[in-house]
Each structure stands twice: as structure tokens, then as C-alpha cells.
């Protein structure tokens, strides 16, 4: 019976959240507060020390941002690459008119060859639970003029 009540409460929560999202009247900040509670305390302010043993002041300016080399700002831009979506459906798109070894349509003297890395695009579907599709589009490069030809993006399905 206890499991039944927990499951019932979880389903009610999901239904409530879906209704709030449908209304589009709730902000991400408020939604995060509803799900995880208010974040009123920081660990540094409660404990008083950081992991390195130095005293924490709680000021953002005191925190030094570094990249992997230990210098300057951190590398990257905070977004996940296509490899992060391991459960995503993968769709491989070939170029409709060009194939490896064909004449270059730009300079007409060179030949196009496939590049090792395809152009990747991740489309996230906003349905609970979130789903993603990774599109890998062929890229062909001319060996003479260097022009790169990408397969066109597929239209959204469904």
C-alpha cells in the first residue's frame, strides 16, 4: 500500500507539472523551486571553508575560472555535444547529388571526397521524458578548391 501511495503522488506531481508547463505561465526558476525547493544556503557559507582549506568569502569575484591547462577562462560554452546524447536516435543523411569521387560543382576541376566527421545537429523533443535525435549529415570536400558541401537537413518528423 505504501508503494501505491508513492506512485500515486509521483503521477500527481507529473500531471501538475505538465499542466503548469502547458499554461506557459511558470518560469524555469519557479519550476526549479517547486521541484527541488529553495536554495537559500550555500555550502561555503555554512561550512566556512572550501575544499582547498582556504576561507570562503562567498564573493563570486574570489572564484577563479580556469580551463584544463589551468589558465584563463574554462574551455567550452556550457552546451552538450552530440556524443552526450547516448540514448538519442541517430539519423544518417547522405548528400542527395554528390558522392565521393564526383567532380566538384564549384570549380569543376577537382573531386569531392567525404570528410571523416559528419556535420552533427541535435534536436531535442520537449515531451516528457525528453527525447533527442542526432542527425549526422555527410560532408564532402573538394580536393582542389577546398569547398565543403553538406547534405541538407532533414525536415522534422511528427
Amino acid at each position: 500500500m505504501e508503494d501505491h501511495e508513492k506512485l500515486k503522488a509521483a503521477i500527481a506531481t507529473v500531471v501538475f507539472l505538465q499542466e503548469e508547463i502547458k499554461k506557459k505561465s511558470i518560469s524555469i526558476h519557479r519550476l526549479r523551486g517547486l521541484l527541488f525547493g529553495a536554495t537559500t544556503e550555500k555550502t561555503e557559507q555554512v561550512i566556512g571553508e572550501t575544499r582547498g582549506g582556504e576561507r570562503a568569502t562567498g564573493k563570486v569575484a574570489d572564484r577563479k575560472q580556469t580551463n584544463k591547462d589551468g589558465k584563463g577562462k574554462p574551455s567550452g560554452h556550457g552546451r552538450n555535444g552530440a556524443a552526450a546524447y547516448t540514448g538519442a536516435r541517430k539519423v544518417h543523411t547522405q548528400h542527395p547529388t554528390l558522392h565521393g569521387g564526383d567532380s566538384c560543382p564549384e570549380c569543376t576541376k577537382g573531386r569531392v571526397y567525404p570528410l571523416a566527421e559528419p556535420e552533427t545537429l541535435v534536436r531535442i523533443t520537449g515531451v516528457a521524458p525528453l527525447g533527442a535525435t542526432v542527425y549526422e549529415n555527410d560532408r564532402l570536400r573538394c580536393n582542389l578548391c577546398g569547398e565543403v558541401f553538406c547534405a541538407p537537413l532533414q525536415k522534422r518528423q511528427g
Side-chain angles (χ1 to χ4, degrees), residues 3 19-20 25 33 57 59-60 75 107 109-110 119 129 140 144 152:
D3 291 338
E19 290 300 317
E20 288 295 317
S25 63
T57 62
K59 294 180 183 174
V60 176
S75 59
C107 69
K109 294 179 183 177
E119 176 188 41
L140 298 133
L144 192 60

Side-chain angles (χ1 to χ4, degrees), residues 102-133:
D102 289 352
S103 294
C104 175
E106 193 71 28
C107 69
T108 65
K109 294 179 183 177
R111 301 250 180 237
V112 295
Y113 292 97
L115 293 173
E117 289 289 321
E119 176 188 41
T120 56
L121 170 74
V122 178
R123 285 190 176 151
I124 298 174
T125 311
V127 181
L130 290 178
T133 304

